[in-house]
Amino acid sequence: MSTIQQQIQLELAKGLKNLFQIDVTEIALQETKKEFEGAYTLVVFPYTKQAGKAPAAIATDLGEYLVANCSIVKAYQVVQGFLNISVHDSAWLGLLASVASDNNPFQIESKGEKVLIEYSSPNTNKPLHLGHLRNNFLGFSVAQILAAGGYEVVKTNLVNDRGIHICKSMLAYQLFGNQETPETSGLKGDHLVGKYYVAFDVAYKEEIAALKANGLDEEQAKKQAPILLKAQEMLLKWEQGDEEVMNLWNTMNAWVFAGFEKSYQTMGVSFDKIYRESNTYLLGKQLVDEGLAAGVFFQKPDGSVWINLEAEGLDEKLVLRKDGTSVYITQDMGTAQLKYEDFKANQSVYVVGNEQDYHFEVLFHILKKLNKPFSKGNFHLSYGMVDLPSGKMKSREGTVVDADDLMAEMIQTAKDRTLELGKIDGFTEAESNELFHNLGLGALKYFLLKVEPKKRMLFNPEESIDFQGNTGPFIQYTHARICSILRKGGSISTVSIDSDLAESEQELIYLLGEYKAQIAQAAANFAPSVIANYSYDLAKTFNKFYNELSILSEENEVKRNIRLTLAELTGKTIQHATSLLGIVSPNRM
């Protein structure tokens, strides 16, 4: 929060006390709407009952009080029940000088708390898809924002590397693979394994059709298809440690992990620790045994283990199958304990799609009933599905959009658009390729992060990479423009507070002074959209300032220095804000 806002809030609290005997602990100021004079607006309606006056009269009295008692307030305007407050130019320039001299303008002081972010969470039976992109970008960005917000952050990834779906791709490879490898096929390892997951599904559907033709109904056919029974048998062998099954599992997992790592490098995301469900499900089984002994869980006649959450408004939930094999929630219980033992985090955030809302509600209730220390501070950062305009991309598997393909298309689109605009004069081939990558991924990340996580969204690749409008490339281009101005501008001296300011200069200073508050808000709400929209507002405001006022050709040395300082701080702030979104803002375009 800017010191200007704090000073005005303090004086308003004094004014309410002195004029109307109203005690307030917190006063909310809003940014004044563009069509009115002023920088900040106070809504006075909440005070009418205690003050015993009409809203306009209260606003007038408070406005007069501010002008008389707050040296930074220049004037006021009353619009019905709203008090619009204007600030002296010297106060804005003082704020600019303060931000410019701050050695650490982008870091909020330590909260002394540790937050663990779990994101990505892929399965080792198929490659990453469009939904994983939103997940990874969201998780990585939230981690960056929390770190800037003063938290110690640990980034984790829980890989689902066991279970019936993993056995399906393993079995299909056994049956149809002919010893194919990533090297012999020319496919990334995750794509190769995904190919056999699809092959299993094709064979499974053929067997279901054959069984139905022999008189079985749909449900019976699904349960009795020989290839499914073989996959279930393989899962039991895996849990028993069968050597042949384990060797195949280790081989195929290694292929997938190598493929995932390439995808993560392209995305620009990273993890401090990667957990595997194969290492956590047994720990989950131990918690089930504890819960049975404590009466938290109960066993049905067939041997399966359940929890009754009807009192919590939910229903009964399976935590262990009748054959003793674990389900997802069993593994998540074990992983929660392992993460707590490893890091003792104050809060644990799960970045998972909204189709799992019920799952996490159940998980958090179970952990509370088990009375574990890690039952506190759990939060499900739920996000909506991402759709593409039909016909924009073809999926490798026919059902989902492949993440690698989409990233490659975005980079190619960035290349085509940049070459059309002729923005790479003097670039080497390596510099050009780096620019295309940063623009393509910047467009993709920004488009996915500017929307509130909970909202289902439509991603349009063409729209996202436009150099105008609310896009990543527009913000990146603004940063490059600022860098070009600064390269030509020479050295910048200390800001003088003895000058008048244009409206666009005030608007820019206001936004720069609000950046830490935006970080704090984004951190409190796990909301990269706050930073994304702030970045756009800052870039848009800078372009207005740039179009209205001369910088390099300004003859008044004081004004020229102020404008160069504004450009420099805006560039640094855009660079930092976009880095919180995982976006690289180039110095040249």
Side-chain angles (χ1 to χ4, degrees):
M1 184 184 296
S2 73
T3 53
I4 290 176
Q5 188 167 335
Q6 287 172 327
Q7 285 182 62
I8 294 171
Q9 286 171 319
L10 186 64
E11 286 300 335
L12 280 169
K14 290 178 183 177
L16 285 165
K17 176 69 173 174
N18 293 337
L19 297 172
F20 309 111
Q21 291 71 55
I22 297 174
D23 289 309
V24 290
T25 54
E26 192 172 322
I27 289 180
L29 285 180
Q30 303 170 0
E31 185 180 0
T32 302
K33 291 181 179 178
K34 300 299 180 192
E35 60 265 33
F36 298 111
E37 288 284 328
Y40 300 99
T41 295
L42 174 72
V43 181
V44 299
F45 293 108
Y47 310 112
T48 52
K49 187 174 181 181
Q50 287 174 278
K53 280 191 170 186
I58 299 170
T60 301
D61 289 348
L62 283 172
E64 294 288 351
Y65 182 89
L66 283 178
V67 170
N69 294 279
C70 188
S71 61
I72 64 173
V73 172
K74 177 173 66 175
Y76 71 92
Q77 179 188 44
V78 175
V79 182
Q80 296 176 333
F82 300 90
L83 171 63
N84 299 330
I85 303 159
S86 297
V87 175
H88 285 293
D89 287 348
S90 59
W92 291 120
L93 289 165
L95 175 60
L96 178 64
S98 173
V99 175
S101 62
D102 189 342
N103 292 326
N104 204 357
F106 307 134
Q107 181 62 51
I108 294 172
E109 63 185 29
S110 173
K111 298 283 194 299
E113 293 182 21
K114 186 183 291 183
V115 182
L116 191 147
I117 310 278
E118 180 189 298
Y119 66 98
S120 197
S121 308
N123 298 331
T124 57
N125 62 319
K126 53 190 175 183
L128 303 172
H129 55 68
L130 175 56
H132 285 114
L133 289 177
R134 190 175 198 188
N135 183 304
N136 278 279
F137 298 155
L138 189 56
F140 183 79
S141 180
V142 168
Q144 298 288 95
I145 290 166
L146 286 170
Y151 296 90
E152 182 184 350
V153 179
V154 181
K155 296 174 292 182
T156 67
N157 181 359
L158 174 63
V159 180
N160 186 350
D161 65 342
R162 64 165 299 282
I164 189 67
H165 51 298
I166 308 299
C167 291
K168 287 176 180 179
S169 51
M170 289 165 58
L171 178 62
Y173 180 81
Q174 251 185 2
L175 295 172
F176 318 123
N178 297 318
Q179 305 302 310
E180 187 178 27
T181 68
E183 290 73 27
T184 61
S185 67
L187 293 172
K188 272 176 83 231
D190 51 334
H191 289 269
L192 178 61
V193 173
K195 169 184 166 183
Y196 287 99
Y197 186 64
V198 174
F200 176 93
D201 193 53
V202 171
Y204 181 43
K205 286 175 179 171
E206 288 174 355
E207 290 186 358
I208 290 170
L211 290 170
K212 285 171 67 177
N214 287 331
L216 289 183
D217 65 31
E218 179 91 16
E219 286 307 308
Q220 288 175 316
K222 284 180 177 178
K223 290 177 183 176
Q224 294 181 27
I227 196 167
L228 177 64
L229 297 177
K230 285 180 183 174
Q232 290 169 342
E233 181 186 349
M234 180 178 274
L235 177 59
L236 285 171
K237 284 184 177 180
W238 183 91
E239 294 214 359
Q240 292 160 2
D242 179 88
E243 186 177 357
E244 182 184 356
V245 171
M246 295 303 290
N247 286 340
L248 177 62
W249 176 74
N250 282 317
T251 297
M252 294 180 73
N253 266 354
W255 293 343
V256 174
F257 276 104
F260 284 167
E261 185 52 36
K262 287 183 180 177
S263 298
Y264 289 141
Q265 286 175 4
T266 304
M267 288 179 208
V269 303
S270 60
F271 309 94
D272 299 307
K273 180 148 187 174
I274 295 179
Y275 290 94
R276 300 189 186 191
E277 290 191 355
S278 56
N279 295 326
T280 66
Y281 80 102
L282 290 175
L283 189 54
K285 284 185 173 184
Q286 290 175 24
L287 290 175
V288 171
D289 290 339
E290 282 181 33
L292 270 172
V296 174
F297 304 125
F298 67 94
Q299 198 160 23
K300 290 193 174 181
D302 65 0
S304 59
V305 181
W306 298 71
I307 186 168
N308 188 335
L309 293 172
E310 291 174 347
E312 285 74 22
L314 305 173
D315 53 17
E316 291 184 351
K317 174 69 180 177
L318 176 72
V319 295
L320 209 62
R321 294 190 187 96
K322 63 183 179 182
D323 61 6
T325 56
S326 60
V327 291
Y328 280 126
I329 210 140
T330 327
Q331 294 154 185
D332 282 341
M333 288 158 55
T335 307
Q337 174 150 332
L338 193 56
K339 289 193 297 187
Y340 183 76
E341 290 171 356
D342 285 345
F343 297 108
K344 298 290 192 298
N346 303 87
Q347 192 165 21
S348 186
V349 179
Y350 296 79
V351 184
V352 184
N354 59 13
E355 70 276 8
Q356 295 296 327
D357 284 354
Y358 178 79
H359 173 90
F360 282 99
E361 194 176 355
V362 170
L363 175 65
F364 298 162
H365 276 301
I366 288 175
L367 296 179
K368 284 177 185 173
K369 284 183 175 291
L370 290 171
N371 202 27
K372 294 290 181 182
F374 48 89
S375 66
K376 299 170 184 174
N378 290 310
F379 180 77
H380 174 207
L381 180 51
S382 174
Y383 62 90
M385 295 281 288
V386 184
D387 300 310
L388 278 165
S390 58
K392 279 287 178 187
M393 278 197 64
K394 290 183 179 175
S395 138
R396 184 176 271 111
E397 293 181 22
T399 53
V400 294
V401 175
D402 181 84
D404 291 323
D405 288 350
L406 182 53
M407 288 191 290
E409 182 182 278
M410 290 300 298
I411 293 167
Q412 183 61 47
T413 304
K415 178 179 180 179
D416 295 342
R417 191 67 58 85
T418 306
L419 292 175
E420 280 172 24
L421 297 171
K423 292 184 181 293
I424 55 167
D425 292 342
F427 278 59
T428 65
E429 184 178 356
E431 288 170 339
S432 297
N433 288 335
E434 183 181 7
L435 178 64
F436 304 146
H437 176 93
N438 289 335
L439 288 175
L441 268 293
L444 181 57
K445 290 177 182 181
Y446 184 81
F447 205 98
L448 294 182
L449 291 174
K450 72 178 180 179
V451 177
E452 289 274 346
K454 286 186 178 294
K455 292 182 181 176
R456 185 167 185 150
M457 63 177 297
L458 180 72
F459 172 65
N460 188 323
E462 289 294 325
E463 183 184 329
S464 74
I465 213 151
D466 198 333
F467 283 86
Q468 297 298 322
N470 191 3
T471 66
F474 168 71
I475 297 165
Q476 289 170 304
Y477 183 63
T478 301
H479 179 262
R481 166 180 275 172
I482 291 169
C483 290
S484 174
I485 293 167
L486 294 174
R487 282 194 292 270
K488 298 169 186 172
S491 60
I492 302 172
S493 57
T494 304
V495 173
S496 167
I497 62 169
D498 186 20
S499 179
D500 60 304
L501 290 172
E503 183 185 1
S504 59
E505 290 174 307
Q506 291 179 10
E507 289 172 354
L508 209 46
I509 295 170
Y510 171 86
L511 280 175
L512 291 168
E514 287 295 301
Y515 183 46
K516 277 190 178 178
Q518 295 290 314
I519 293 173
Q521 183 187 340
N525 296 289
F526 308 114
S529 57
V530 170
I531 300 298
N533 290 305
Y534 171 84
S535 302
Y536 173 61
D537 285 343
L538 185 59
K540 186 172 60 172
T541 303
F542 178 83
N543 280 286
K544 178 189 174 190
F545 155 78
Y546 177 79
N547 290 326
E548 290 178 356
L549 303 171
S550 59
I551 301 176
L552 298 178
S553 58
E554 173 58 57
E555 293 180 0
N556 183 308
E557 196 63 31
V558 170
K559 288 182 180 294
R560 185 177 188 275
N561 188 64
I562 288 168
R563 290 169 191 173
L564 280 172
T565 303
L566 275 171
E568 182 181 51
L569 285 176
T570 302
K572 287 178 178 177
T573 305
I574 287 175
Q575 187 175 54
H576 187 266
T578 53
S579 76
L580 296 185
L581 304 174
I583 294 171
V584 176
S585 288
N587 294 333
R588 285 198 304 150
M589 280 175 65

